[in-house]
Amino acid sequence: QVQLVESGGGLVQPGGSLRLSCAASGSIFSINAMGWYRQAPGKQREFVARIISGGLTIYADSVKGRFTISRDNAKNTVALQMNSLKPEDTAVYYCNAAVTNTARASFDSWGQGTQVTVSS
């Protein structure tokens, strides 16, 4: 099947920067889109950013201008550069991919998440 693994989370001070990465592996034929979601304690999971094959990007208003999503199609990876971090950015960040596997079935795949904590 398809697996997504996030990395790069950690503790950072307000105003600091952090870069998250996600690698997809397994029986992948193609990946149409990849993105990031996050979930803070006691809150629902929310959309953060998404990038479509070809480079089109979409951002949540709360991160627009501070976060940048990028993708390496050849390596099946996606990154999220997070600048000017705020305490409210604290959450578990989850990688998502819209995958077509080698059997030509299409579905969403999710990673296990990586913790981002913004605190002084």
Side-chain angles (χ1 to χ4, degrees):
Q1 196 54 284
V2 176
Q3 297 83 39
L4 300 180
V5 180
E6 303 97 336
S7 62
L11 175 65
V12 64
Q13 294 184 356
S17 298
L18 208 59
R19 184 178 178 88
L20 306 182
S21 296
C22 172
S25 62
S27 55
I28 299 170
F29 178 77
S30 65
I31 299 179
N32 182 59
M34 300 186 78
W36 292 91
Y37 291 72
R38 67 187 183 187
Q39 187 168 23
K43 297 184 178 180
Q44 295 184 3
R45 184 183 63 185
E46 67 174 354
F47 168 78
V48 176
R50 191 166 181 82
I51 184 166
I52 310 299
S53 179
L56 177 66
T57 58
I58 304 172
Y59 297 92
D61 288 341
S62 59
V63 307
K64 197 171 299 181
R66 300 187 298 120
F67 291 10
T68 302
I69 188 170
S70 61
R71 177 179 174 182
D72 187 331
N73 292 333
K75 297 180 180 179
N76 288 331
T77 60
V78 64
L80 186 69
Q81 179 66 45
M82 304 184 293
N83 298 326
S84 302
L85 283 162
K86 305 174 181 179
E88 51 262 46
D89 294 319
T90 296
V92 177
Y93 284 70
Y94 295 92
C95 179
N96 166 261
V99 178
T100 299
N101 66 15
T102 53
R104 304 300 194 272
S106 296
F107 54 91
D108 273 1
S109 184
W110 292 89
Q112 293 297 306
T114 185
Q115 177 71 48
V116 172
T117 302
V118 184
S119 176
S120 59

